Every structure is written in C-alpha cells, then in structure tokens.
Amino acid sequence: MSEKTLTRMDLSEAVFREVGLSRNDSAQLVESVLNHMSDALVDGEQVKISSFGTFSVREKAARVGRNPKTGQEVPINPRRVLTFRPSHLMKDRVAAGNKGS
C-alpha cells in the first residue's frame, strides 16, 4: 500500500474545486476547521465527524517499565495520546476500496 500525505493545501484545493470558494477563502476555512478541532481536543473533548470517525485524547497514566538493556525498572511519564476511531461507513468504504486492488 502506498503512503499519501494529505496537506492543508490539498484540503484547501478540494474545497476550492468542490465548493467554489476563492483559494484564499478555502485556505482560511480549512485552517479554521483544523484549529477548531485542535482546540476541542486540547480541552479534552471528543471530535466526532459523522460518517467518518471520532478523534479523542486520552490520558495515559504514569507507570513503571523495564530498561531492555539493563533490566532496571524505570518510570514512564504520563502523556496524552490522540486516537482515531473510524466509523463503520469509513471502514466499509476502505474495505471496498481494498477489494478492487
């Protein structure tokens, strides 16, 4: 499977072509949506996009692990982890696309 990086410019171009906004307005719209999503995630909210999936941030607690070289116990700091859970529609669409390959 090949890797595709989707940039803000790609999203702006898609909005420009599909919606008909100017390129500048399209870029501002995409930036506004991404900032809104990011702000919600920073605040600990879930971001659910209908028929696409859900983004959420969860806290991973501090815990103790082992250094594989020395075997000593070492603390692992707590951290926030961003997760994405695709919707069933998105899973089905991807699965259907994989069958055609």
Side-chain angles (χ1 to χ4, degrees):
M1 178 173 11
S2 66
E3 185 175 314
K4 166 74 171 139
T5 300
L6 185 62
T7 65
R8 289 177 179 178
M9 179 65 93
D10 295 334
L11 293 172
S12 296
E13 281 296 314
V15 171
F16 169 72
R17 283 191 312 272
E18 297 295 323
V19 179
L21 293 174
S22 71
R23 278 192 161 79
N24 189 40
D25 288 345
S26 298
Q28 288 177 349
L29 176 64
V30 167
E31 191 69 27
S32 175
V33 168
L34 294 174
N35 286 340
H36 184 71
M37 288 175 60
S38 297
D39 291 345
L41 290 168
V42 166
D43 293 342
E45 298 175 34
Q46 279 192 346
V47 176
K48 184 173 185 177
I49 302 172
S50 181
S51 301
F52 184 75
T54 303
F55 295 90
S56 61
V57 175
R58 60 188 173 93
E59 304 284 335
K60 291 200 94 172
R63 57 192 197 281
V64 176
R66 286 203 184 274
N67 181 323
K69 292 181 181 178
T70 64
Q72 285 185 315
E73 288 188 350
V74 292
I76 299 174
N77 293 330
R79 65 182 198 272
R80 297 180 82 191
V81 179
L82 176 67
T83 59
F84 172 69
R85 189 169 297 128
S87 70
H88 290 291
L89 291 173
M90 179 59 73
K91 288 179 184 178
D92 293 345
R93 185 173 179 183
V94 170
N98 286 340
K99 291 175 187 173
S101 302

